[in-house]
Amino acid sequence: MTQSTSRVGSVVTAIGLTYGSTIIGSLVVLIAGAVLSIFGINVATRPSLRLVLNTVLLQGLTFGGGTVLYLRYRNLGFDFIPLTIPDRRDVAVTIAGIVTLLGLLVIASMIISSLGLESAQNRIVTIGQQNPAVYLLLVPLSFLLVGPGEELLYRGLVQGTLRKTLHPARAIVLASALFASIHLFSLTGEGKLVYVGIAFVLALVLGATYEYTDNLAVPAVVHGAYNAVQFGSAYLTATSGI
């Protein structure tokens, strides 16, 4: 197999893993909703429940569990995705990563506002505005499922697959683009490309922390903390008008 063919193969595999996982996870959520309807629980009329199901079954079970099954199916071994207890350097990178993500979000918001642009909203915001308690539930889930699940798939598996045949920088960029593109399916309103653009930039930071530390725990915690801060802030805004 030529080097060019190997690169194409890794890119195709990365794309397949990204969208295949999303499709499978969505089907799992639909099946769970159908099962609950048998017991008289209509998920379609309970957006908060649908959001929790989506978080647990898509980001947790499918992204996280699916990655583990894929590793075993391909006989890659769990050392394909390095995961260790963070040392002092990892902790420092984790703190720097969290601060960087939050700082970039603030800068991006200022630029969007100054240019008069509009950014789409994630459906989570719409649901949270109707039931702010959802935000509080999403804070621990960010650390337990969202961060670990999404990082296992996008940084560990997707970026790791691309890293086998591409330069690290190119692997980070492509994995980040795939990660950002998936968000299109959860957005409402105008400015979807603006939202995706921000997600792409933030994903670059996650990819860089993973490449630098060679420890998935770092981007997983950074990702979880970033989301948790956003959900906590959204809860305060929704309940106290801050």
Side-chain angles (χ1 to χ4, degrees), residues 168-233:
R170 293 179 179 178
I172 292 172
V173 170
L174 185 50
S176 298
L178 290 171
F179 171 81
S181 68
I182 286 297
H183 288 75
L184 281 170
F185 301 103
S186 61
L187 301 179
T188 60
E190 300 294 329
K192 293 182 179 180
L193 290 181
V194 173
Y195 187 105
V196 169
I198 295 174
F200 171 71
V201 173
L202 299 180
L204 291 175
V205 176
L206 294 171
T209 61
Y210 180 51
E211 177 66 28
Y212 180 70
T213 61
D214 200 30
N215 184 1
L216 190 76
V218 174
V221 174
V222 172
H223 192 158
Y226 170 77
N227 282 8
V229 169
Q230 280 198 298
F231 292 138
S233 176

Side-chain angles (χ1 to χ4, degrees), residues 92-162:
V93 174
T94 299
I95 295 173
I98 296 171
V99 173
T100 299
L101 286 188
L102 294 174
L104 286 174
L105 179 62
V106 172
I107 293 173
S109 299
M110 293 173 61
I111 293 175
I112 291 172
S113 177
S114 64
L115 294 178
L117 299 176
E118 185 176 353
S119 178
Q121 274 195 335
N122 193 298
R123 290 192 180 92
I124 294 176
V125 175
T126 303
I127 296 172
Q129 290 173 341
Q130 299 171 351
N131 182 11
V134 170
Y135 288 132
L136 292 181
L137 180 58
L138 289 174
V139 169
L141 288 181
S142 294
F143 288 105
L144 297 174
L145 295 176
V146 179
E150 292 193 353
E151 293 309 302
L152 267 171
L153 175 61
Y154 292 108
R155 249 55 63 182
L157 192 53
V158 173
Q159 185 171 312
T161 297
L162 294 168

